[in-house]
Amino acid sequence: MKRIILSFFLFSALCSLHVGAEDAKPLIRLMPLIIEGLGPEEARFLSTLVQSYVTDIGELDLPSGESPTTPDFILTGSITVDQDSRVLAIEIVKSETGETVYHTSTHKTTSDLTLKVRSLVEAAFSSGTIPGETRGEIITDGKILGTWRGDAGLEIVRIQGGGTAMAILSSGAQMNFVYIIENNTLKLTQTSPNRARFYHPAPFEVARELSLRAEPWRYELFLSNNGAVLRGIKISTGVSYGDDGTVEFIPDSIREAEWTKSAR
C-alpha cells in the first residue's frame, strides 16, 4: 500500500474558516497528514488544491523542532482506503483549553471526499460538532438559474430551466450540459459530442485525441457566499504530454472549480 504524507491537505477544508475576530487569524499547527492507498494523481491534486488556500487561511505553524509560539489549534489527520472507500480521520485540539474534536467519515469516491471535507473541518472549528451532511447553502433552481462566470476553460455558463445549461469555453466553442440537484449538490454532465476545441490550449493532435477518448466533463458544485458562488470540483479526462511526444491520458482527473454569479 502506497503511503504519502501531505502536510497541507486539510487546508482545503479551512479556506473559509473564521475563528475569533476577523482580523485576528488563528495560528494553526498542521501536523503531517498521512495518506495511504491513493494514487499519485489523486495525491497530486489534493496537494495542489490545498496549497492554493494557504494564503487565505491564517498563520501556518508547521512542526519543525521547538516552536517559540503556541498555536491556537493543532490539527492532525489521515486518509486511508478501506474496501474502495476513502476514510477521513480528523483530530483538532484547541491549545488554550485542551478541548478535542475527533471525527471519522467514509466516502465512496475522492470527489465526494473533496466536496465534504471543507464543511466537516469548518464545522469542527466553529462549533465543536460535525454534522455529517453539512454542504453549503440550500440549492434550488431559483438560486442557480442565470449567468455565471466560469473557471479555467469556461468563460460563461448559463444555467437554464428544465435541467439544462450551456457554456461558452475560452476557445469560443459552445458546450451543453444537463444537471440535477442531488444531496444539496449541483451535478452537471456534458451532453455535447466531444470536439477538439473543447481542449484548448492543448496541441491540436492531443486535443483531437482527447475528443475521441475523453469522458464527458462533469461538475459537482455547492452554493456559498449568499448564493453568489458555486464551488466544488470538475471531473474529466486529464492529459500529460512531453516534448518527446509521449502522451498520457488520465481518466477521472479532479480539479477545483469555482463559478461566480454574474450581475447581468
Side-chain angles (χ1 to χ4, degrees), residues 13-182:
L14 305 176
C15 65
S16 58
L17 177 65
H18 297 278
V19 181
E22 190 166 319
D23 58 349
K25 294 184 177 181
L27 180 64
I28 303 170
R29 178 166 297 166
L30 186 58
M31 305 303 290
L33 181 80
I34 297 175
I35 298 182
E36 296 182 342
L38 297 185
E41 180 61 27
E42 289 176 305
R44 187 160 49 247
F45 161 72
L46 295 173
S47 180
T48 301
L49 172 66
V50 299
Q51 290 186 50
S52 70
Y53 291 124
V54 171
T55 56
D56 298 328
I57 292 173
E59 199 169 344
L60 174 63
D61 181 33
L62 292 176
S64 57
E66 294 185 5
S67 175
T69 59
T70 300
D72 297 300
F73 298 94
I74 300 173
L75 189 153
T76 60
S78 65
I79 297 175
T80 56
V81 176
D82 182 17
Q83 297 182 349
D84 294 328
S85 293
R86 277 65 173 156
V87 181
L88 169 68
I90 301 171
E91 182 179 280
I92 302 173
V93 178
K94 187 174 183 179
S95 300
E96 183 179 1
T97 63
E99 180 183 2
T100 301
V101 173
Y102 181 81
H103 178 73
T104 300
S105 58
T106 302
H107 310 270
K108 288 296 183 183
T109 64
T110 301
S111 62
D112 183 57
L113 168 61
T114 304
L115 284 170
K116 288 184 178 179
V117 69
R118 177 202 305 268
S119 57
L120 291 170
V121 178
E122 182 178 324
F125 269 87
S126 62
S127 66
T129 59
I130 303 179
E133 293 302 321
T134 300
R135 192 188 291 188
E137 301 167 13
I138 300 299
I139 295 181
T140 64
D141 277 319
K143 290 182 178 180
I144 62 173
L145 295 182
T147 301
W148 298 79
R149 292 290 178 184
D151 58 341
L154 294 180
E155 294 294 326
I156 296 174
V157 182
R158 292 191 180 96
I159 300 179
Q160 304 155 338
T164 62
M166 182 272 290
I168 303 297
L169 278 61
S170 56
S171 65
Q174 177 178 314
M175 179 182 288
N176 296 321
F177 294 88
V178 294
Y179 72 83
I180 61 172
I181 298 172
E182 183 177 74

